[in-house]
Amino acid sequence: MDRETSNDVAGQGRAIPVTVIPGDGVGPEIVRAAQRIIAAAGVPIAWQEAEAGAEVFRRGDSSGVPAATRDSIESTRVVLKGPLETPVGFGEKSANVTLRKLFETYANVRPARELPGVPTRYSGEGVDLVVVRENIEDLYAGIEHLETPDVAQGLKIITRKGSEKVIRYAFELARREGRAKVTCATKANIMKLTEGLFKRVFEEMAPEYPEIQAEHLIIDNVAHQLVKNPAQFDVVVTTNLNGDIISDLASGLVGGLGFASSGNYGDGVAIFEAVHGSAPKYAGKDVINPTALILSSVMMLRYLGQSAAAAAVEDAVLVTLEEGSAVTQDLARQLGGDVEHAASTTGFTDRVVANLGRRPRTVPVRARLIDETVERRPAWSYGTDRYASIARSLVGLDVMIESDMAVDELGDELARLAGGALRLAMLESRGTKVYPSIGLSVDHVRWYRGRFLAHDGRTPSEEDLVGLLGRIATRHRWTEALRLQSFDGEPGFTRAQGE
Ligand code: NAP
């Protein structure tokens, strides 16, 4: 923590502690703009200024987030942050991702709302949706391996707990904002266990919110529908990678990066930031559009229970955009207007401050918008009792093998090596069964999965599994082995194409 400043206003009580990370590139300019507006709106905040990003990496801290910053967030539990750069050649972990993971901010919330004075292809359709993206799990767990020099694998991790937390968040957000519908977007038709788990948890939780319409759509259809008729969506909740893509798509529908705000919410901690990066070519030039970060700070004010100030700042931004009296370069370009004489970051901020207390003419007042202070429900219904009562049995082993042998030869040999309680049920390559052959021709990539299942009615022992691996290892290079289990009699693994 470098310094602490307070804009506590006389008579308004104790200032609210908030960690502020100015960040890199244009970060300090847009963060200062938001701080000025919040101060002008009369919200008493004790800012704790903290560092993260490029400079920290350059000093040799490979996390990009120094201990002093972590300590500050531990104590304030609320962060307003500018974009952070990950300089090439200083470690590969992004400080943004580190922050999200350190504080387990599991729900990434990205509103996409039609803004007055920001013309798009969809102007007039009333687009007003929120994408709630799971922020920790999925392929972003970053568990990747090279199985062979030419075969890479990434693990998609989806947990019941992680799904439940973010889906709960989405329903609570819909309830708080008086929104009518929550759409769950998955690829459960293909990824039946991972995306399927997310969909099942959604379907289990939906009845707790009878006043909210719950629907499930396949993610590719969501992309299609978003482009065709975005106004049909209200809240969209989805897994990490899906959410990454469709939240950017949604931002594009309503004016792009200069306007895209976001909040990362965990249990009792939240980080607010613009979606865009540090836009280094504009750093220090006072030309960047600060709207995205200002609207992120509106989300922060709601989180802090400052709903009146949040509404005042939001309205002031909307009035400024509606009147077009301070148009930043990016918007001037979109409008085909005079870019050279566009408003500066400071000029735009001045207008927003001047417009505090005014209501936009063309934007309808939201029917209901309640502060973030939701009743905290138990985050995880899948407690130890339920977990322990699920009957689990071992039914076999999948073994990944690198091999140049012809498929039939390899299959015959692995079948011979099986023995004991296990038999070779099949060999597959990249998800398609190749042995015993069902006539499908697949490209040879030197990497197979042998599926060994227990003979009918038998349960393999640990020795059976280890013995099998030992025998395979004498003849082949195996790269990975996965236990095959069933849960309450249901297989805990998928079948290969053609199996
Ligand atoms: P970027 O900083 O978002 O900038 C890309 C382009 O988007 C800019 O050149 C500009 O377009 C436009 N733009 C972005 N913000 C704008 C704003 N507020 N107003 C108007 N236009 C805006 O993306 P990048 O160049 O790919 O990334 C730069 C650095 O930021 C990288 O180090 C990256 O890792 C980091 N980053 C950080 C975060 C974060 O902290 N959350 C997020 C993304 C990226 P024109 O050139 O057309 O004017």
Side-chain angles (χ1 to χ4, degrees):
M1 193 190 323
D2 296 323
R3 65 195 165 96
E4 186 162 319
T5 53
S6 167
N7 62 356
D8 194 354
V9 177
Q12 292 212 353
R14 267 178 71 81
I16 308 162
V18 171
T19 302
V20 60
I21 301 175
D24 301 315
V26 297
E29 297 164 53
I30 56 176
V31 166
R32 301 286 174 245
Q35 286 180 298
R36 255 188 73 201
I37 295 167
I38 291 170
V43 185
I45 292 193
W47 300 103
Q48 295 185 7
E49 193 159 314
E51 261 190 312
E55 254 326 292
V56 181
F57 282 114
R58 286 195 189 100
R59 283 206 307 265
D61 181 334
S62 61
S63 74
V65 184
T69 300
R70 296 177 198 198
D71 291 346
S72 171
I73 301 172
E74 277 296 345
S75 78
T76 64
R77 314 294 289 168
V78 186
V79 184
L80 183 65
K81 74 171 268 295
L84 305 179
E85 195 188 310
T86 308
V88 179
F90 288 82
E92 28 186 81
K93 293 285 177 200
S94 141
N96 293 303
V97 177
T98 300
L99 272 174
R100 285 175 211 159
K101 296 214 168 190
L102 269 178
F103 294 96
E104 180 86 19
T105 52
Y106 55 80
N108 176 257
V109 177
R110 295 259 305 258
R113 179 186 183 193
E114 180 175 330
L115 294 166
V118 183
T120 71
R121 289 163 203 267
Y122 302 96
S123 291
E125 293 186 17
V127 177
D128 181 9
L129 62 95
V130 185
V131 178
V132 180
R133 161 189 170 192
E134 200 289 318
N135 216 13
I136 306 285
E137 304 190 335
D138 199 350
L139 290 159
Y140 290 71
I143 307 170
E144 300 192 320
H145 299 95
L146 274 180
E147 296 268 340
T148 79
D150 299 323
V151 178
Q153 174 189 269
L155 295 186
K156 181 175 170 83
I157 309 290
I158 303 286
T159 70
R160 172 171 283 272
K161 187 174 189 177
S163 305
E164 206 169 288
K165 281 160 73 170
V166 72
I167 292 166
R168 170 84 64 213
Y169 190 90
F171 275 115
E172 290 290 338
L173 179 143
R175 185 172 268 179
R176 208 165 53 233
E177 298 196 0
R179 291 178 177 269
K181 184 166 73 169
V182 178
T183 305
C184 175
T186 76
K187 195 70 184 171
N189 53 331
I190 302 296
M191 288 166 261
K192 296 182 193 312
L193 293 184
T194 50
E195 294 274 310
L197 176 58
F198 195 84
K199 175 173 181 275
R200 277 199 305 284
V201 171
F202 176 78
E203 287 162 351
E204 284 166 22
M205 294 177 88
E208 290 184 48
Y209 300 87
E211 79 281 17
I212 296 167
Q213 186 194 340
E215 68 173 6
H216 173 265
L217 293 181
I218 299 295
I219 185 67
D220 34 329
N221 188 27
V222 170
H224 171 232
Q225 296 291 336
L226 270 171
V227 173
K228 262 179 65 178
N229 176 20
Q232 71 183 287
F233 292 103
D234 210 344
V235 176
V236 181
V237 64
T238 187
T239 49
N240 207 339
L241 179 58
N242 293 335
D244 194 359
I245 298 165
I246 62 158
S247 55
D248 261 35
L249 195 163
S251 301
L253 301 174
V254 292
L257 282 177
F259 301 94
S261 56
S262 80
N264 300 285
Y265 299 84
D267 284 328
V269 63
I271 302 172
F272 299 89
E273 61 184 329
V275 168
H276 63 77
S278 59
K281 69 179 179 187
Y282 295 124
K285 296 195 172 148
D286 197 25
V287 295
I288 203 80
N289 180 357
T291 305
L293 193 84
I294 298 169
L295 292 179
S296 306
S297 73
V298 167
M299 295 172 79
M300 181 187 82
L301 292 176
R302 288 215 166 90
Y303 180 79
L304 294 172
Q306 300 286 324
S307 53
V313 174
E314 187 172 44
D315 282 350
V317 172
L318 296 175
V319 169
T320 308
L321 295 172
E322 187 177 60
E323 290 185 342
S325 50
V327 172
T328 46
Q329 276 190 5
D330 57 325
L331 184 54
R333 221 172 283 129
Q334 281 180 47
L335 293 167
D338 183 0
V339 176
E340 222 171 280
H341 298 101
S344 63
T345 309
T346 312
F348 182 88
T349 309
D350 290 343
R351 286 305 318 154
V352 174
V353 169
N355 285 330
L356 281 167
R358 294 181 61 197
R359 278 259 335 123
R361 278 180 305 102
T362 55
V363 183
V365 181
R366 294 201 190 203
R368 181 169 157 204
L369 214 51
I370 303 172
D371 279 347
E372 197 80 14
T373 46
V374 287
E375 176 198 345
R376 294 270 166 224
R377 288 157 182 260
W380 190 23
S381 68
Y382 210 55
T384 324
D385 295 355
R386 165 96 179 90
Y387 185 75
S389 72
I390 291 173
R392 182 196 296 225
S393 52
L394 183 60
V395 297
L397 193 70
D398 272 354
V399 185
M400 279 67 158
I401 294 161
E402 183 179 355
S403 176
D404 280 316
M405 283 172 88
V407 172
D408 285 342
E409 215 181 310
L410 177 65
D412 289 348
E413 179 162 305
L414 290 173
R416 277 195 301 278
L417 290 172
L422 294 161
R423 64 183 173 83
L424 178 71
M426 61 126 199
L427 264 188
E428 62 84 6
S429 171
R430 289 181 296 166
T432 303
K433 179 176 168 183
V434 292
Y435 177 93
S437 171
I438 53 164
L440 295 175
S441 63
V442 264
D443 216 352
H444 176 67
V445 295
R446 305 183 59 254
W447 191 61
Y448 299 90
R449 177 166 56 116
R451 169 154 292 175
F452 297 87
L453 291 176
H455 287 293
D456 285 345
R458 294 178 64 176
T459 302
S461 63
E462 295 298 327
E463 289 72 29
D464 287 328
L465 303 189
V466 174
L468 172 65
L469 276 179
R471 289 192 297 281
I472 292 174
T474 59
R475 303 268 307 145
H476 301 278
R477 181 179 279 144
W478 67 273
T479 63
E480 190 180 355
L482 290 166
R483 298 163 77 90
L484 299 176
Q485 306 175 81
S486 74
F487 299 93
D488 277 343
E490 293 293 322
F493 46 91
T494 52
R495 292 182 188 283
Q497 198 76 35
E499 188 181 355

